[in-house]
């Protein structure tokens, strides 16, 4: 059940983040998606903090990055954007495992 949740939310995360970075979605909508995802996750009541796979680890890392950094930083910091795009590429199944993405479950 948790694996299906992560897979479903990963596809949504890719969609929302990609649209945001292309200027086709306001930051507020991305923010709402993230908080809705965290609210749904809380309903599972998972106590383990360690993700079950690299994919889940990268998912939590990207979610955190998108919520942690202000909109202006996300849009203007080329290194930050490149790192997030690299992670999104992996989540799409088109890139290698990003070794510097350390995500933990909330």
């Amino acid at each position: 059940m948790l694996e299906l949740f992560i897979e479903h939310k990963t596809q949504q995360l890719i969609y929302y983040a990609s649209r945001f970075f292309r200027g086709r979605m306001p930051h507020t909508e991305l923010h709402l998606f993230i908080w809705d995802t965290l609210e749904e996750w809380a309903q599972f009541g998972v106590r383990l903090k360690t993700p079950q796979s690299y994919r889940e680890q990268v998912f939590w890392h990207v979610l955190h990055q998108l919520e942690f950094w202000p909109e202006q930083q996300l849009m203007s910091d080329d290194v930050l954007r490149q790192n997030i795009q690299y992670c999104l590429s992996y989540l799409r199944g088109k890139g290698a495992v990003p070794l510097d993405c350390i995500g933990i479950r909330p």
Side-chain angles (χ1 to χ4, degrees), residues 75-106:
M75 295 307 287
S76 64
D77 187 327
D78 291 336
V79 173
L80 177 61
R81 285 182 64 150
Q82 186 176 37
N83 287 338
I84 292 172
Q85 291 295 346
Y86 187 73
C87 291
L88 291 173
S89 179
Y90 168 73
L91 291 174
R92 283 187 192 96
K94 297 182 180 189
V97 175
L99 300 177
D100 59 346
C101 293
I102 302 170
I104 59 171
R105 291 173 172 171

Side-chain angles (χ1 to χ4, degrees), residues 49-62:
K49 295 287 186 188
T50 305
Q52 299 296 316
S53 66
Y54 284 120
R55 187 169 174 79
E56 183 183 350
Q57 186 172 337
V58 173
F59 169 80
W60 291 120
H61 175 79
V62 172

Side-chain angles (χ1 to χ4, degrees), residues 3-97:
E3 290 174 16
L4 290 175
F5 174 85
I6 294 297
E7 185 56 38
H8 178 70
K9 289 300 178 178
T10 295
Q11 296 309 313
Q12 289 181 337
L13 176 63
I14 292 167
Y15 173 80
Y16 277 81
S18 297
R19 291 193 50 93
F20 168 73
F21 284 121
R22 281 187 256 139
R24 297 183 175 220
M25 178 180 293
H27 186 259
T28 53
E29 204 166 323
L30 177 63
H31 175 76
L32 289 173
F33 161 73
I34 292 169
W35 280 97
D36 285 347
T37 299
L38 292 172
E39 187 175 304
E40 289 176 46
W41 176 257
Q43 293 175 12
F44 282 106
V46 177
R47 296 188 189 276
L48 296 173
K49 295 287 186 188
T50 305
Q52 299 296 316
S53 66
Y54 284 120
R55 187 169 174 79
E56 183 183 350
Q57 186 172 337
V58 173
F59 169 80
W60 291 120
H61 175 79
V62 172
L63 206 70
H64 173 74
Q65 294 296 302
L66 293 173
E67 185 59 25
F68 178 79
W69 296 105
E71 177 181 9
Q72 197 61 17
Q73 187 89 15
L74 288 168
M75 295 307 287
S76 64
D77 187 327
D78 291 336
V79 173
L80 177 61
R81 285 182 64 150
Q82 186 176 37
N83 287 338
I84 292 172
Q85 291 295 346
Y86 187 73
C87 291
L88 291 173
S89 179
Y90 168 73
L91 291 174
R92 283 187 192 96
K94 297 182 180 189
V97 175

